[in-house]
Amino acid sequence: PISTTGLSGGSSTPNGVAWDSGNNRMYYASYGSAPGQLWFYDFTSSTNVDADLALGGSVQGRVSCGTFYQGAYYYIPVGTANLHRVNLASDGTATSEQNLGPITAGTGLTENFQWGDIAFASDGTLYGHGLSGGNQKFFKVSFDISTDGLSGYTIIIPSDNLSLQLAFGSDNIL
């Protein structure tokens, strides 16, 4: 499906892939420029859909990581530590976008990630991997969806030069 989007090759490539299991949709964004365009492939109808027309045709930042959680698409723009939520209508298209703030909130740390990947666990823990300050980092942060609160940014392990892609399986194992 991604290879049929017209995004592969050239100046834009698909990235920030996220799976919406409840609606059988795979979200992805164009990576080549900022701001990025958000799309989804609907496996039920076998069609690619431009998901961000209500946002003026693009999301706010350059997307290189994405995850789906509780009915919304989340990403962190390249060069920031800010978690963004793209709210979605029942047809899968975007209705609004919110910058929820830095994942490092309350720590006094400043990160400017050149991104790897992120994935939400079912309990609201956001796991991520990215490059910041010349160092690869594998981390986690707690997210409270009722308040949009981010807390507990913790580096799990410095990951040296590994480049990790993250996803949870249907068994909820990372």
Side-chain angles (χ1 to χ4, degrees), residues 100-126:
L100 302 177
I103 61 169
T104 55
T107 65
L109 297 173
T110 300
E111 301 282 16
N112 291 301
F113 286 101
Q114 304 304 314
W115 274 95
D117 207 1
I118 57 174
F120 265 113
S122 61
D123 69 356
T125 302
L126 178 68

Side-chain angles (χ1 to χ4, degrees), residues 60-121:
Q60 295 173 7
R62 185 174 175 199
V63 180
S64 73
C65 64
T67 189
F68 189 86
Y69 180 64
Q70 298 289 319
Y73 178 82
Y74 292 82
Y75 76 99
I76 299 174
V78 172
T80 78
N82 295 329
L83 183 65
H84 285 236
R85 177 177 51 220
V86 179
N87 299 300
L88 303 169
S90 60
D91 67 358
T93 59
T95 58
S96 63
E97 180 173 349
Q98 296 166 278
N99 179 347
L100 302 177
I103 61 169
T104 55
T107 65
L109 297 173
T110 300
E111 301 282 16
N112 291 301
F113 286 101
Q114 304 304 314
W115 274 95
D117 207 1
I118 57 174
F120 265 113

